[in-house]
Amino acid sequence: MIILTGNDLKTGAVTWWNGADWSLYVDDAVDVGEQAEEILAREEALRRVNVPYSIQATREDDGKVRPAHIKDRIRALGPTVRPDLTLKPQSPEAIDWVI
Amino acid sequence: MYSYDHYDQAMVDARVEEFRDQARRRLEGKLTEDQFKPLRLMNGLYLQLHAYMLRVAIPYGTLNSRQMHALGDIADKYDRGYGHFTTRQNLQYNWIKLEDAADILADLAKVEMHAIQTSGNCIRNISSDHFAGAAADELVDPRPYAELMRQWSSFHPEFTYLPRKFKIAVIAAEKDRAAMRLHDIGIQIVQNEAGELGARFYVGGGMGRTPMIAPMIRNFVPLDQLITYAEACLRVYNRYGRRDNKYKARIKILVHELGKDEYTRQVEEEFAHLLSQGIEPPLAELERIRTHFADPAFEDGTKQVDRSDPDFAVWVDRNTHRHKHDSYVSAVISLKPVGGIPGDATGEQIRIMARLAKQYSFDELRIMHTQNVVLPHVKIADLHALWTELETAGLGAPNMDTIEDMIACPGLDYCALANARSIPLAQRISERFDASDKTARLGELKMKISGCINACGHHHAGHIGILGVDKKGTENYQLSLGGSEAEDTSLAKITGPGFTEDGVIEAVDKVTDVYLEQRQGEERFLDTYRRIGMEPFKEALYGA
Ligand code: HEM
Ligand code: SF4
């Protein structure tokens, strides 16, 4: 699948396109198929996201989304060396694939 | 220490307000990211993997306790409770919000700090010897010269858009503690036969994808021509440096392509021309600056360390450096606890270091390019009390210049340019070597790790270096041996095929075993490597 990601303009937080808005959770990401460029241009112009781009990802059997590249997996989770600063403490369910 | 005059303060304050307006316009959508990016970068604000990152300049690594305290407060108020000290003697915050950035710059300006020229193709923060003004072996304090160059290079209109970034280091001892010859310009303050001070210029060093050791281009530049000569070096580069290719744009490529002699000839020609232009600041200005770096009021006291506490004695042997006054030492605060993240300190630890500087070190601190902190002037009589406080704060690791005192760049945990993670390697290596007693047996062993070819972690200059590469989407690591960034500067050589994360840790273990088996007398790892060459290490790693 093709999913969209970027950083929040104000906070810099990593976000994922869920079809209507930008979510902090990669599992909310939706397949945008052919529409990537169109959504990216629109959302960036609306300043709802900063420097967004499209990436390859797969949806696992349990419904979790796994970005193809390690860089985006680390973006999705947070720094692997500071688990306390990742999404895990608030959302233990969020990400359980191995980096 | 240098303190701002009203020009400095007015410039920095004006810059904060200018940036506040730019950030506001970006948030309101009046500027696009393409328009805003160069503006934010000029103020040290990057966009990294998880958030904005702010790089704060610490000129020649010197700061006072008030400034250090403010850095700790910013970590807690605007970031997630910590900061990262870097190899360029700067501090980086990893979790900055664009909305807060101008307020942070305003807080910094209140303590005479800023983030100007910490990014972009300009002259960056000038680095220096972290023991400057304290070391027993220095000729003079190099910082007044570094400060003069800071003033010259700040907002220099001609050098704001160089072909590429430009880094300068200034030292004044035979021992090089600032990787001077791996800078675009390295300056060593020296004395001629007549006893006069002058500057020796090395130009065209650097790390990155094409590491080079700077050749010396002038043995002695009189002090009243220092700025003029530097200006000539920059002018030739600005004119002929390659703007067509980002990867060939550093001055090292120009010096290499022209050849040292031709580059030098052009510099000398430009210099001769510039001498007639009268651009050199008057020597009185250097004198004015020098008064800011006068020695504090040292007092005679105990010269002997009480070694009755064995843990303390180990720390003293490892983490203190000989001071020019025999009742003092410089004390190194290690930011490399076993299993920790090299260079990270919490807001609370930063404030503790600030307080200890005030109490024990005439209010002064230094940031080392090895990502540690120095209290430059500690009375020998106070050392035990200081160490006790450091131990309590988790800052007492006795490991300076050992394999545990690794440099590691942020790598793929934070950096958008990375190929592989560096921090987890640093953590695992320090844990492993600490658990056996190998660290102590190895003695001085400088290990440096970068997460990509940009070499922010100085891997080319490590006795052992590790470079993270991308191998079909997985992290892979190249091992190299034999680098040095000291006065015996050398570039490390790659051992052979790369390793996985587990594999490279095993590999480090193996090469240190080779050293322990082969070393003669007092040889360091580097000395043994230089004597026996790469082969025995290769054999241990890859078989015959
Ligand atoms: C995380 C954000 C960072 C980015 C985007 C970044 C980017 C870069 C780039 C692109 C280069 C290569 C420049 C060239 O060869 O032309 C470089 C070199 C370097 N960086 Fe970084 N860096 C970052 C963090 C750091 C940190 C944290 C340190 C200190 C630990 C550091 C210190 C250096 C040094 C010492 C060099 C080599 C200087 C040279 O080539 O002469 N950087 N950096
Ligand atoms: S060496 Fe590469 S990975 Fe490490 S900080 Fe520099 S640019 Fe990032």
Side-chain angles (χ1 to χ4, degrees):
Chain A
M1 63 197 278
I2 294 175
I3 64 174
L4 305 181
T5 180
N7 293 76
D8 185 81
L9 173 63
K10 288 187 199 162
T11 65
V14 175
T15 56
W16 308 89
W17 178 245
N18 66 10
D21 204 347
W22 294 87
S23 164
L24 291 176
Y25 299 98
V26 68
D27 292 335
D28 295 341
V30 293
D31 189 353
V32 296
E34 310 270 278
Q35 290 176 293
E37 290 310 312
E38 185 192 324
I39 303 173
L40 290 178
R42 185 189 70 215
E43 290 297 309
E44 189 162 28
L46 286 172
R47 282 172 286 125
R48 282 150 46 105
V49 66
N50 199 11
V51 285
Y53 56 99
S54 61
I55 59 165
Q56 292 284 343
T58 48
R59 191 176 290 281
E60 316 271 276
D61 294 341
D62 57 1
K64 300 238 152 81
V65 176
R66 178 182 167 90
H69 197 281
I70 182 173
K71 183 175 291 181
D72 294 304
R73 294 198 292 277
I74 292 180
R75 288 177 70 247
L77 175 72
T80 63
V81 291
R82 288 293 303 264
D84 56 319
L85 301 180
T86 64
L87 289 179
K88 285 300 237 184
Q90 303 104 305
S91 323
E93 299 304 302
I95 281 161
D96 40 23
W97 26 257
V98 176
I99 289 290
Chain B
M1 230 187 91
Y2 186 75
S3 61
Y4 280 10
D5 60 19
H6 65 283
Y7 295 109
D8 297 300
Q9 192 68 52
M11 276 198 292
V12 171
D13 290 344
R15 187 61 175 263
V16 173
E17 288 319 306
E18 184 184 73
F19 180 71
R20 188 182 295 287
D21 186 53
Q22 292 162 345
R24 182 182 54 75
R25 284 188 286 148
R26 172 69 185 122
L27 287 166
E28 287 171 358
K30 293 182 179 137
L31 295 175
T32 63
E33 181 65 10
D34 284 348
Q35 291 164 336
F36 181 60
K37 188 175 172 186
L39 303 175
R40 66 168 160 76
L41 286 177
M42 276 184 206
N43 293 286
L45 193 66
Y46 289 70
L47 185 58
Q48 286 299 307
L49 284 190
H50 313 292
Y52 295 94
M53 172 201 99
L54 182 70
R55 183 180 289 163
V56 179
I58 301 175
Y60 33 87
T62 293
L63 72 178
N64 63 27
S65 62
R66 185 162 154 257
Q67 292 171 319
M68 188 76 164
H69 199 282
L71 292 177
D73 284 348
I74 290 171
D76 285 342
K77 185 169 171 195
Y78 300 105
D79 199 274
R80 296 201 175 172
Y82 67 107
H84 178 74
F85 289 98
T86 81
T87 44
R88 297 224 67 254
Q89 302 177 301
N90 290 331
L91 179 81
Q92 292 184 180
Y93 294 112
N94 295 302
W95 302 94
I96 296 303
K97 297 186 171 71
L98 179 55
E99 307 169 297
D100 292 336
D103 291 338
I104 301 173
L105 295 180
D107 283 4
L108 287 170
K110 281 185 207 140
V111 292
E112 303 183 2
M113 296 184 90
H114 61 72
I116 298 162
Q117 289 180 214
T118 60
S119 174
N121 295 336
C122 54
I123 302 179
R124 304 286 187 88
N125 188 31
I126 291 170
S127 56
S128 186
D129 185 341
H130 41 250
F131 294 133
D137 64 352
E138 78 183 6
L139 178 63
V140 288
D141 186 342
R143 291 173 304 161
Y145 310 97
E147 171 57 26
L148 184 71
M149 299 197 85
R150 184 190 72 77
Q151 297 192 11
W152 158 74
S153 61
S154 297
F155 302 118
H156 193 307
E158 197 179 321
F159 304 141
T160 308
Y161 293 100
L162 292 166
R164 198 74 180 87
K165 57 165 91 163
F166 205 91
K167 302 179 180 178
I168 301 178
V170 184
I171 66 170
E174 285 303 323
K175 261 200 153 343
D176 180 0
R177 291 175 283 256
M180 183 267 288
R181 293 186 68 189
L182 294 167
H183 282 72
D184 296 285
I185 295 185
I187 293 176
Q188 183 183 354
I189 304 297
V190 293
Q191 205 164 25
N192 66 10
E193 279 166 10
E196 296 153 341
L197 292 176
R200 181 175 293 162
F201 270 70
Y202 295 86
V203 181
M207 290 186 250
R209 65 183 62 225
T210 328
M212 290 199 190
I213 299 172
M216 184 176 76
I217 68 154
R218 179 71 112 85
N219 192 30
F220 192 87
V221 176
L223 282 185
D224 59 357
Q225 300 175 348
L226 172 67
I227 295 298
T228 311
Y229 201 81
E231 181 107 4
C233 293
L234 261 303
R235 272 202 163 182
V236 173
Y237 168 56
N238 204 17
R239 205 176 291 147
Y240 299 117
R242 303 238 340 230
R243 290 176 191 267
D244 60 313
N245 181 341
K246 188 176 165 188
Y247 302 120
K248 300 205 163 170
R250 296 286 294 266
I251 194 174
K252 61 191 172 189
I253 304 293
L254 179 71
V255 174
H256 184 73
E257 285 183 354
L258 285 179
K260 174 198 130 182
D261 293 342
E262 174 57 18
Y263 172 75
T264 309
R265 190 194 64 75
Q266 295 192 18
V267 169
E268 293 290 337
E269 194 176 286
E270 183 63 37
F271 177 59
H273 163 70
L274 281 175
L275 275 181
S276 66
Q277 306 293 303
I279 63 162
E280 189 71 30
L283 270 183
E285 177 56 16
L286 188 55
E287 286 310 320
R288 182 188 77 87
I289 291 172
R290 213 180 260 131
T291 57
H292 288 281
F293 294 93
D295 280 345
F298 296 128
E299 293 166 1
D300 284 331
T302 318
K303 298 175 183 16
Q304 286 298 320
V305 176
D306 174 358
R307 303 176 62 89
S308 51
D309 179 339
D311 288 341
F312 171 61
V314 169
W315 179 81
V316 170
D317 290 341
R318 264 286 149 217
N319 285 38
T320 61
H321 189 261
R322 206 155 83 81
H323 198 279
K324 62 187 180 188
H325 190 293
D326 60 6
S327 307
Y328 290 78
V329 292
S330 300
V332 172
I333 303 176
S334 169
L335 298 182
K336 317 286 173 65
V338 178
I341 298 179
D344 276 10
T346 65
E348 183 60 26
Q349 286 177 324
I350 294 174
R351 283 188 297 270
I352 289 171
M353 291 188 272
R355 176 175 62 73
L356 295 174
K358 193 167 193 136
Q359 195 171 344
Y360 295 114
S361 184
F362 294 97
D363 212 36
E364 261 193 52
L365 304 105
R366 309 290 169 71
I367 309 307
M368 302 171 77
H369 81 269
T370 52
Q371 305 178 285
N372 295 313
V373 176
V374 178
L375 299 184
H377 315 295
V378 180
K379 257 190 190 161
I380 290 175
D382 290 339
L383 258 188
H384 192 272
L386 168 66
W387 172 76
T388 310
E389 295 214 44
L390 289 173
E391 279 281 293
T392 315
L395 292 167
N399 56 16
M400 177 180 153
D401 289 343
T402 67
I403 193 166
E404 291 174 32
D405 185 13
M406 260 166 288
I407 293 181
C409 79
L412 195 50
D413 279 298
Y414 292 98
C415 176
L417 302 176
N419 285 323
R421 283 172 283 175
S422 349
I423 298 169
L425 275 187
Q427 293 176 307
R428 288 181 60 189
I429 291 170
S430 82
E431 277 165 359
R432 180 174 179 139
F433 280 75
D434 195 72
S436 63
D437 64 339
K438 217 169 165 186
T439 300
R441 282 190 290 141
L442 292 169
E444 180 184 313
L445 204 172
K446 297 189 184 180
M447 163 116 205
K448 303 179 197 294
I449 310 176
S450 306
C452 82
I453 193 70
N454 287 320
C456 306
H458 291 194
H459 66 276
H460 298 298
H463 296 182
I464 300 179
I466 296 178
L467 165 65
V469 294
D470 178 349
K471 194 174 174 191
K472 299 190 187 118
T474 60
E475 296 163 293
N476 199 263
Y477 297 92
Q478 272 178 2
L479 187 69
S480 52
L481 305 177
S484 168
E485 55 189 7
E487 56 286 355
D488 58 354
T489 317
S490 59
L491 299 172
K493 290 201 174 62
I494 297 172
T495 55
F499 302 90
T500 61
E501 179 179 338
D502 289 342
V504 78
I505 293 172
E506 288 300 327
V508 170
D509 214 11
K510 282 185 189 156
V511 296
T512 55
D513 282 341
V514 172
Y515 158 65
L516 289 175
E517 282 156 21
Q518 303 259 1
R519 88 167 144 201
Q520 294 179 355
E522 297 289 294
E523 273 181 349
R524 304 168 300 164
F525 178 91
L526 182 64
D527 305 321
T528 303
Y529 169 82
R530 284 176 176 169
R531 180 172 54 78
I532 68 177
M534 182 65 99
E535 276 316 308
F537 295 96
K538 267 191 157 162
E539 215 174 288
L541 289 172
Y542 307 105

